[in-house]
Amino acid sequence: MASKKILSISSVEKLDYIRQRVCNISEEKLRAAINTVRKQRDLDALMNILSNLNNTFAAEEERLLEDSETHNKKYANVDNDKYSTAYTVLSNIKQSVFAFYKIVRMFSKQKSHAFYGNRNETKSLEFRIRHSTVGDLEVTGYIFDNLTPCQKRVFTEMENFIEYLDRSLGICIRIIEEEESIRKDVTKTQQLFEKQIEEVYQIVKRKKGGSKGKTFYKELLEADSNPENVRKWFHKITPEQMGDVAIGLKDQRLSEFTPSQRYVFNENPEAIRFFVDVVSHIDDCTDKITGDTIVNVMKYTNCTSSQTAFYECFRETYMQNGGKHRVVSKQRFNQACTEQNHGKPNNYDSFVSKMDMYVF
């Protein structure tokens, strides 16, 4: 019954096709269709159908607006192709478009045609549109507004339907165009990818998934060396699959660090890498490793672990990097922490200005 073009909507052009065919129906054609409806029971039925149609359409528009705010701010969504595939999710829009034309066909004068030798698909939506007063036929306008109060109500409901449809398709087209723009941008897709990797990793942590053998999993684990893979899979995997990628990618990125570093910085590779970089430049910023020095490093790297864990991690990392100076005892470090917590003056600002020269 339905047009193949409408059923296969998957691009801005096809959404635009619907917008042009339905939303640009002239007022004269709508009035001509309504003028054919004279029986009160038919008008009552038409009013109820259109009113219910618009109620569901209003809810659809509200959902679209809400979802459109976050759709392109995530690398992976539960329903990635919400806006661009054959109205899979936009069910109310699809049903409403078909219902609208079904209603108008029921109450519109049909253009006569010869079936002999006719090669057109007479059940298609385009054929029915062309052979109704809301289709491609010329319609004679009315000099006077001769609609009855009930007919005017039906006319208003039809106008409301077209406005809802136009706005909803506008939302879809805007989001698809934005989505395509992001998909072409390697930097933008990487930013969204890294942000969501961190978010889902904090949720899934050590849970195991079933994506290891999948193509997307293998390619996204190469994200650091091949950014094009990140662009390729934008809005192609689910958040659950993203969780599997997050675990695999984090394990891969963390494999170069020590257990102590992973623990102290909550398995955050970026934070660990920054910490290692800072420690590697300590000897450039000071000529001895005092308790205050280690406190400054802890503050500078935004570490939230315990003092004991941080001290051991710092000492281990400093020695691995071939540090030139002796590291103070844990007791002296703890004493420096207490003194700074009680407001004792320190050289943190001076430390920051020196370290910024090396790590930024």
Side-chain angles (χ1 to χ4, degrees), residues 300-315:
Y300 190 75
T301 56
N302 296 311
C303 180
T304 57
S305 290
S306 68
Q307 292 175 194
T308 298
F310 182 80
Y311 174 83
E312 296 298 340
C313 181
F314 173 87
R315 186 171 179 277

Side-chain angles (χ1 to χ4, degrees), residues 216-254:
F216 74 83
Y217 181 85
K218 296 176 183 177
E219 292 189 354
L220 288 176
L221 252 60
E222 298 173 1
D224 293 340
S225 58
N226 194 346
E228 281 294 320
N229 289 350
V230 179
R231 192 172 67 84
K232 173 183 175 180
W233 292 101
F234 172 62
H235 279 180
K236 298 296 182 184
I237 63 173
T238 66
E240 182 180 0
Q241 293 170 330
M242 191 80 170
D244 293 343
V245 172
I247 292 174
L249 197 56
K250 286 284 186 176
D251 283 343
Q252 179 177 284
R253 290 173 175 176
L254 289 165

Side-chain angles (χ1 to χ4, degrees), residues 4 47 147 276 281 286:
K4 290 182 179 179
M47 278 192 292
L147 296 182
V276 172
H281 288 99
T286 183

Side-chain angles (χ1 to χ4, degrees), residues 6 30 49 77 84 110 141 154-155 183 192-193 214 259 322 348:
I6 294 178
L30 288 180
I49 293 171
N77 292 300
S84 55
Q110 300 293 312
V154 171
F155 177 74
R183 185 172 281 113
L192 293 175
F193 177 74
K214 307 288 185 179
Y348 182 68

Side-chain angles (χ1 to χ4, degrees), residues 164-266:
Y164 280 131
L165 178 64
D166 187 56
R167 287 197 300 269
S168 294
L169 289 178
I171 294 169
C172 294
I173 290 171
R174 173 175 62 83
I175 296 303
I176 293 170
E177 289 176 337
E178 184 180 275
E179 186 175 46
E180 288 306 309
S181 176
I182 294 172
R183 185 172 281 113
K184 295 175 183 177
D185 189 331
V186 174
T187 301
K188 184 64 176 177
T189 50
Q190 277 186 307
Q191 290 172 346
L192 293 175
F193 177 74
E194 293 297 342
K195 180 181 178 183
Q196 197 166 4
I197 280 288
E198 192 59 43
E199 290 174 353
V200 298
Y201 183 74
Q202 295 304 319
I203 298 173
V204 297
K205 284 290 184 182
R206 295 291 95 198
K207 294 180 182 177
K208 294 182 179 180
S211 301
K212 285 190 175 182
K214 307 288 185 179
T215 301
F216 74 83
Y217 181 85
K218 296 176 183 177
E219 292 189 354
L220 288 176
L221 252 60
E222 298 173 1
D224 293 340
S225 58
N226 194 346
E228 281 294 320
N229 289 350
V230 179
R231 192 172 67 84
K232 173 183 175 180
W233 292 101
F234 172 62
H235 279 180
K236 298 296 182 184
I237 63 173
T238 66
E240 182 180 0
Q241 293 170 330
M242 191 80 170
D244 293 343
V245 172
I247 292 174
L249 197 56
K250 286 284 186 176
D251 283 343
Q252 179 177 284
R253 290 173 175 176
L254 289 165
S255 61
E256 63 183 282
F257 304 120
T258 68
S260 174
Q261 291 167 344
R262 293 176 63 163
Y263 173 77
V264 168
F265 288 94
N266 198 28

Side-chain angles (χ1 to χ4, degrees), residues 330-347:
K330 185 192 303 182
Q331 290 75 17
R332 183 64 193 92
F333 165 66
N334 289 335
Q335 183 181 347
C337 287
T338 302
E339 290 172 350
Q340 287 203 23
N341 289 336
H342 284 81
K344 178 187 175 183
N346 58 63
N347 61 348

